[in-house]
Amino acid sequence: MERRYDVIVIGGGHAGCEAAHASARMGAKTLLLTTSIPHLALMPCNPAIGGPGKGHLVREIDALGGLMAKVTDLSTIHIRKVNTGKGPAVQTLRAQTQRDLYSSTMRKFLESTPHLYLFQGEATKILQDKEGKVKGVKVKNQTTFFAPAVVLCTGTFLNGVVKIGELSYPAGREGEFPSVELGHNLREMGLQSGRLSTCSPPRLDRRTIDFSSLEEQKSDEEPLCFSFTGFPQVYKGASVFIARTSRKTCDIIKANFHRSPLLYPASSTSSVRECPSLEDKVYRFPERDQHLLFLEPEGKENNEIYVQGLFTSLPEEIQWEIVHSIAGLERAHLIRPGYGIEYDYILPTQLRASLECQEIPGLFLAGQINGTSGYEEAAGQGIIAGINAASYVKGRSPLILRRDESYIGVMIDDLVTKGVDEPYRLRTGKVEFRLVVRHSNADLRLGPHAYERGMITEKEYRRIEEKRDKIQREIERLSRLTIFPTPALQSFLTHKGTNPVKEAIKASDLLARPEITYRDLAPFDRERPFLEPQVIEEVEIEIKYRGYIERQKREIEEFKKMESKIIPPNFDFSSVQVISREAREKLQKVRPATLGQAARVAGVTPSDIAALSILLEK
């Protein structure tokens, strides 16, 4: 039996699937080691992909040649464009998927990927050579697999403990064994760990819900899809419904605060602000009676309904009371109770921006093991870790995405520079240059990286460059096209609620007006070329937001100046006496690669950076 590989990926969740696919896609012989092959890319929490910030990640994963967007498109039952009342910087998609179909579709993709092999087993030990470099993985049944690079994507399995009220037992997820030996092994290797917690909501039987008293949210009428190479569709027959808690709901929860093992004032883990439990919300906002809940279908072929927003670790009998206190759910039957889970994570400040451990060559970490929350955040790390593990084996430099070019770059930089003290969730507000790094242009931004690493084909890359050329040519054409102030034009402008023009005007200037769309100008632009919707969308955004985009690009140039000031890998921050003691300690721990990254380390002041800059120049 041949047990030698280039890369071994431990864990078959969203991070592990993307990591294994990326590594194999780059030509590295890759082993995906998971405790349950039928549970590949399982959705243990909500059956949905995307949303603010998260949808941006999915598009970037797709632009890099990853799988999440493609698998989502093949399992979608309901999709909406979100943040439509705001600008294009924060608009994105959110799709409800058939939970089981998502997992089986991902498995088909992985099993058809050349150079990728699956093995079911529990990893118990990372093997190292005399120099401390990774050399393989030992499995519980004593089988040993060898590889110079390992990607750890263990999710919530490291010393996981499920908690439901007073009930507590070891588990990686409900019904699955935790990874205890591997957690012990990682600490023996010198990695510092912390403890985090999260919650899952109860699932309800669709047949026992009174939907007539709930607000229906249908799928958009506009054809939509996540992947740049997908086929937009309109989905019908699967709606999301909105419910609201009541005063009775909150009174039940308040009376049982003492029975919630993960309520943040009493929990041994840190608080959760990004995706808190319902009892945490009631505790923090005691004056509020109504909290929004979204009833999301798990699929078309079953009756299971996921209650988004009712995350809880309260006892099972209390969960029944809570559900029955909500209008429309008075007779609802619980299929599965919600539960909380505590688990170990590795402090991500011990990693490089490549997601490789600073002190353990060849060991990469991705997903919830780094303190993140969510399928999309995990997958975004997974594809980078997989690319960089394969690059490490091939002797190539790692792929480091900057904050100014991707949401993935922002997330990874936040993790390795600032660390986490609660599950990290990527929001649009954390992205400084979000008008430039939009949901709509991820392929234009990241396609060159994907092609250079062998993640997409030459044909796919040519399509991206053709799209870029079409956008630029159309912007230039509209900037040259003159539209004269005919009665038809004046009537049209008045009808649209914008000022008539007194003299001839360029088409681009008209399109820059917020009331005017590209389609509106068709009667006055008889020679326009046929363009795909994706191209038209980019043309409109680039023209309407030209001033803002140009200003943000100038800010990016300033940002790049700091990022271009490289700090030597073995630079000894502890010996720099001209900066504060706190800065020395923090910088020595994080080991930033650039002056820009050093400036983002918590506890480092502008005067510390000024002094460090002078020292580096010398």
Side-chain angles (χ1 to χ4, degrees):
M1 177 181 173
E2 178 57 56
R3 298 197 301 260
R4 295 192 178 275
Y5 298 86
D6 296 318
V7 176
I8 297 173
V9 178
I10 299 174
H14 298 275
C17 288
E18 293 290 352
H21 172 261
S23 171
R25 182 81 172 163
M26 288 181 61
K29 186 181 178 184
T30 304
L31 178 71
L32 175 55
L33 178 61
T34 176
T35 55
S36 176
I37 290 177
H39 286 174
L40 285 170
L42 186 70
M43 291 180 155
C45 204
N46 59 322
I49 295 293
K54 293 172 175 285
H56 292 76
L57 284 173
V58 179
R59 295 280 273 193
E60 292 184 353
I61 293 164
D62 189 57
L64 287 169
L67 296 176
M68 178 169 268
K70 295 177 177 63
V71 175
T72 299
D73 287 344
L74 292 171
S75 55
T76 292
I77 57 175
H78 176 282
I79 190 168
R80 291 175 65 86
K81 185 177 285 187
V82 300
N83 282 343
T84 53
K86 301 178 182 179
V90 296
Q91 291 179 12
T92 187
L93 299 174
R94 188 173 193 270
Q96 298 295 138
T97 65
Q98 297 192 68
R99 182 174 178 264
D100 295 338
L101 180 58
Y102 186 99
S103 182
S104 62
T105 303
M106 179 65 79
R107 180 173 178 175
K108 288 178 183 177
F109 271 107
L110 296 178
E111 290 181 334
S112 62
T113 301
H115 313 298
L116 177 56
Y117 303 86
L118 305 180
F119 186 84
Q120 184 165 299
E122 180 189 342
T124 58
K125 187 175 184 180
I126 307 296
L127 304 176
Q128 296 173 273
D129 63 17
K130 294 179 180 179
E131 297 177 353
K133 295 179 180 180
V134 164
K135 70 173 185 178
V137 175
K138 183 172 283 188
V139 182
K140 194 154 194 153
N141 61 11
Q142 300 305 306
T143 300
T144 301
F145 296 100
F146 298 96
V150 170
V151 184
L152 269 179
C153 309
T154 53
T156 59
F157 278 70
L158 287 183
N159 294 306
V161 176
V162 162
K163 295 191 173 185
I164 309 175
E166 294 81 12
L167 178 64
S168 175
Y169 54 88
R173 279 189 301 242
E174 180 66 44
E176 297 186 64
F177 293 111
S179 182
V180 177
E181 292 176 73
L182 183 60
H184 180 68
N185 171 235
L186 294 177
R187 287 192 295 274
E188 285 184 331
M189 293 171 73
L191 290 172
Q192 294 178 290
S193 63
R195 197 85 172 148
L196 292 176
S197 64
T198 188
C199 288
S200 180
R203 271 66 158 190
L204 309 181
D205 188 326
R206 183 199 308 268
R207 300 169 298 176
T208 61
I209 297 172
D210 178 13
F211 291 104
S212 64
S213 61
L214 304 177
E215 179 185 338
E216 186 176 8
Q217 193 178 72
K218 295 183 178 180
S219 191
D220 279 357
E221 293 294 330
E222 174 190 359
L224 298 170
C225 68
F226 258 111
S227 177
F228 286 102
T229 58
F231 298 96
Q233 297 182 48
V234 175
Y235 296 88
K236 295 183 182 295
S239 293
V240 172
F241 289 83
I242 300 174
R244 290 171 173 82
T245 60
S246 64
R247 174 168 292 186
K248 183 179 178 181
T249 309
C250 296
D251 287 343
I252 293 170
I253 292 172
K254 289 174 183 176
N256 289 278
F257 277 150
H258 63 288
R259 302 189 69 187
S260 173
L262 298 182
L263 185 67
Y264 81 93
S267 175
S268 59
T269 61
S270 58
S271 62
V272 179
R273 289 171 293 178
E274 298 289 359
C275 197
S277 66
L278 185 55
E279 50 262 40
D280 269 349
K281 290 181 183 177
V282 173
Y283 184 90
R284 295 182 195 207
F285 308 103
E287 72 286 355
R288 287 181 58 185
D289 293 329
Q290 288 199 345
H291 298 274
L292 283 179
L293 306 174
F294 295 86
L295 276 60
E296 302 175 344
E298 295 263 4
K300 284 186 173 182
E301 307 302 323
N302 62 53
N303 290 320
E304 196 164 330
I305 297 293
Y306 177 94
V307 190
Q308 171 76 21
L310 212 168
F311 307 107
T312 183
S313 60
L314 284 165
E316 188 175 328
E317 67 270 20
I318 305 303
Q319 293 187 37
W320 284 87
E321 289 185 42
I322 290 171
V323 168
H324 292 159
S325 70
I326 297 166
L329 309 183
E330 295 90 346
R331 299 180 180 223
H333 172 73
L334 271 70
I335 295 176
R336 289 189 278 162
Y339 65 92
I341 185 166
E342 286 186 356
Y343 56 94
D344 286 351
Y345 76 104
I346 301 301
L347 305 187
T349 49
Q350 299 169 97
L351 307 178
R352 297 187 174 94
S354 62
L355 295 179
E356 183 185 16
C357 290
Q358 293 179 6
E359 304 298 335
I360 307 173
L363 182 61
F364 297 79
L365 275 61
Q368 282 182 280
I369 192 173
N370 290 336
T372 57
S373 170
Y375 311 142
E376 301 86 352
E377 285 87 347
Q381 295 170 71
I383 192 168
I384 296 299
I387 289 171
N388 287 335
S391 298
Y392 171 85
V393 170
K394 294 173 178 289
R396 299 182 62 185
S397 61
L399 173 61
I400 309 294
L401 298 181
R402 302 187 310 271
R403 297 183 73 91
D404 62 284
E405 64 179 343
S406 67
Y407 273 65
I408 293 176
V410 170
M411 171 179 62
I412 292 176
D413 183 67
D414 282 349
L415 292 173
V416 304
T417 303
K418 303 174 183 177
V420 299
D421 54 13
E422 64 169 303
Y424 177 95
R425 183 179 182 182
L426 186 59
R427 295 180 284 104
T428 55
K430 294 179 179 179
V431 182
E432 302 95 324
F433 308 113
R434 54 186 176 272
L435 188 54
V436 173
V437 291
R438 302 183 299 275
H439 163 102
S440 59
N441 68 354
D443 56 341
L444 302 174
R445 291 185 278 113
L446 302 180
H449 288 304
Y451 179 61
E452 193 270 334
R453 297 283 167 163
M455 290 293 294
I456 61 174
T457 64
E458 184 176 350
K459 181 179 178 181
E460 291 170 319
Y461 180 62
R462 199 182 311 124
R463 179 194 60 80
I464 294 169
E465 291 305 298
E466 287 174 357
K467 176 182 174 181
R468 193 191 310 276
D469 289 342
K470 287 179 181 179
I471 293 166
Q472 188 57 40
R473 285 200 305 269
E474 184 62 1
I475 291 173
E476 292 172 357
R477 190 187 72 84
L478 292 173
S479 299
R480 294 191 305 268
L481 176 63
T482 300
I483 299 179
F484 294 95
T486 62
L489 177 65
Q490 305 294 38
S491 175
F492 161 74
L493 294 176
T494 301
H495 174 72
K496 296 295 289 187
T498 185
N499 295 328
V501 296
K502 296 179 180 179
E503 55 189 23
I505 187 171
K506 297 299 182 186
S508 58
D509 292 333
L510 275 181
L511 185 54
R513 296 185 180 190
E515 302 88 355
I516 308 297
T517 68
Y518 183 84
R519 182 177 297 177
D520 289 336
L521 295 180
F524 313 99
D525 183 10
R526 300 294 184 183
E527 297 182 2
R528 64 168 45 181
F530 171 79
L531 297 173
E532 298 87 347
Q534 288 185 10
V535 173
I536 293 172
E537 181 181 17
E538 287 306 293
V539 169
E540 282 206 47
I541 293 171
E542 290 288 341
I543 288 177
K544 286 185 181 298
Y545 295 89
R546 178 177 289 164
Y548 297 103
I549 291 172
E550 288 176 353
R551 185 175 67 186
Q552 203 156 95
K553 286 181 177 178
R554 289 193 295 270
E555 292 171 356
I556 288 173
E557 289 306 312
E558 291 300 314
F559 169 81
K560 285 181 177 178
K561 289 178 183 178
M562 290 284 281
E563 295 301 306
S564 65
K565 295 183 178 179
I566 305 298
I567 299 175
N570 299 319
F571 189 85
D572 184 9
F573 293 99
S574 62
S575 64
V576 182
Q577 299 301 314
V578 292
I579 62 177
S580 67
R581 176 181 293 182
E582 181 184 9
R584 291 199 299 272
E585 292 174 354
K586 294 287 181 67
L587 291 169
Q588 188 64 23
K589 181 179 179 180
V590 174
R591 306 274 288 279
T594 68
L595 195 62
Q597 186 186 359
R600 295 188 292 275
V601 174
V604 178
T605 67
S607 61
D608 293 327
I609 293 300
L612 193 58
S613 177
I614 294 170
L615 187 60
L616 288 172
E617 289 293 335
K618 290 182 178 179

